[in-house]
């Protein structure tokens, strides 16, 4: 049986003071439910580690360099993230694909860098509205995930997949549970092409306007194993409600 997992993606939000209050509220309010974590901006990893060590809340980063070291100004390596005991690193978020022109091949290299450093990449896949309307959803997400699987081989068992339809991110429009389940089932079938037993254990999260009022229904679907939460992860009460919906 897969455990539910709810991960907050803080994006470009936070400050030392705001983070302390948010993380304090989450830790104080936790009462069972899904496993949980927060992916914070890199400068706040030391703070997250200090405040969350010994708590049930994991932490991680939102991106990573595909390179191990060298002349790559501004980049942060997987080993650096591992130095702060990150458990998860998001790779291939649609905002990075769109605003930083990240290809699926680059995303795959980043996922491998994360695996090599002993952490779990949260590999994001998802179609744009135009792609959905053109009937290309299945092909788009298959290609995005396929690039990672081609490099990861059997190590795919260590990844977390996040299906995030681009048109649902930050828009208040959520995929219906049935729409999301259909894609999640396809993604799991694709994982099973490498190893059916491992595929049954991989957590596939849904992301895109998941909120307290729709989380339980989404997570009740057989292949939706939790959520990657943007906006609603910035308020302790909302984030806790989603975690608690993942019983
Ligand atoms: P949202 O973002 O919950 O604000 O839609 C999700 C994400 O981008 O990971």
């Amino acid at each position: 049986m897969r455990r539910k997992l709810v991960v907050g993606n803080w994006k470009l939000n936070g400050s030392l003071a705001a983070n302390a209050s948010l993380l304090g509220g989450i830790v104080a309010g936790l009462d069972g439910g899904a496993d949980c974590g927060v992916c914070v901006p890199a400068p706040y990893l030391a703070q997250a580690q200090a405040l969350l060590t010994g708590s049930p809340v994991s932490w991680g980063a939102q991106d990573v360099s595909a390179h191990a070291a060298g002349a790559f100004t501004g980049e942060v390596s997987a080993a650096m993230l591992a130095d702060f005991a990150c458990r998860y690193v998001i790779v291939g978020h649609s905002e990075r694909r769109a605003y930083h022109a990240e290809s699926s091949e680059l995303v795959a290299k980043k996922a491998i860098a994360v695996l090599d450093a002993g952490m779990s990449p949260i590999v994001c896949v998802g179609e744009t509205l135009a792609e959905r309307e053109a009937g290309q959803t299945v092909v788009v997400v298959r290609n995005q995930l396929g690039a990672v699987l081609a490099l990861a081989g059997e190590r795919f068992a260590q990844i977390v997949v996040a299906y995030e339809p681009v048109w649902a991110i930050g828009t208040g429009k959520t995929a219906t549970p049935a729409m999301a389940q259909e894609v999640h089932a396809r993604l799991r079938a694709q994982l099973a092409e490498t190893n059916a037993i491992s595929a049954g254990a991989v957590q596939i999260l849904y992301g895109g306007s998941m909120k307290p009022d729709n989380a339980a229904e989404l997570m009740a679907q057989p292949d939706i194993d939790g959520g990657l939460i943007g906006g609603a992860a910035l308020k302790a009460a909302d984030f806790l409600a989603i975690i608690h919906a993942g019983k």
Side-chain angles (χ1 to χ4, degrees), residues 177-235:
M179 279 161 83
Q181 165 59 27
E182 189 190 342
V183 177
H184 282 230
R186 297 260 192 181
L187 293 169
R188 196 174 308 283
Q190 185 179 359
L191 296 172
E193 291 167 17
T194 302
N195 182 319
I197 293 172
S198 302
V202 170
Q203 289 163 313
I204 307 180
L205 314 183
Y206 170 81
S209 299
M210 193 187 266
K211 303 270 186 286
D213 63 0
N214 59 24
E217 203 189 356
L218 283 159
M219 287 193 269
Q221 299 295 312
D223 289 294
I224 301 186
D225 306 313
L228 184 57
I229 318 298
L234 298 174
K235 284 194 197 136

Side-chain angles (χ1 to χ4, degrees), residues 9 11 93 95 164 168-171 207-210 228-232:
N9 172 14
K11 309 193 180 187
H93 191 280
E95 287 151 17
E164 299 206 306
I169 294 176
T171 57
S209 299
M210 193 187 266
L228 184 57
I229 318 298

Side-chain angles (χ1 to χ4, degrees), residues 25-34 36 56-57 239-241 243-247:
I26 293 167
V27 171
L30 266 182
D31 183 18
C36 62
V57 185
F239 191 54
L240 284 166
I243 293 167
H244 295 155
K247 287 197 199 17

Side-chain angles (χ1 to χ4, degrees), residues 40-160:
V40 306
Y44 297 130
L45 285 169
Q47 183 191 24
Q49 182 179 21
L51 294 179
L52 298 175
T53 296
S55 85
V57 185
S58 305
W59 59 93
Q62 301 170 16
D63 184 36
V64 66
S65 178
H67 302 286
F72 301 102
T73 301
E75 300 264 278
V76 173
S77 74
M80 293 172 188
L81 299 178
D83 266 347
F84 292 91
C86 288
R87 174 148 183 198
Y88 299 107
V89 182
I90 298 170
V91 296
H93 191 280
S94 63
E95 287 151 17
R96 301 233 32 113
R97 292 180 192 262
Y99 307 145
H100 302 272
E102 289 196 8
S103 67
S104 291
E105 288 67 34
L106 177 63
V107 171
K109 286 186 188 150
K110 291 183 173 196
I112 297 302
V114 173
L115 287 170
D116 285 345
M119 302 173 290
S120 288
I122 299 178
V123 177
C124 298
V125 301
E127 81 288 1
T128 63
L129 185 58
E131 288 163 343
R132 175 163 279 271
E133 286 174 346
Q136 292 172 344
T137 299
V138 169
V139 169
V140 167
V141 300
R142 184 177 175 83
N143 288 341
Q144 290 173 337
L145 182 60
V148 173
L149 296 180
L151 294 192
E154 289 280 347
R155 297 165 81 201
F156 84 87
Q158 261 68 57
I159 73 174
V160 175

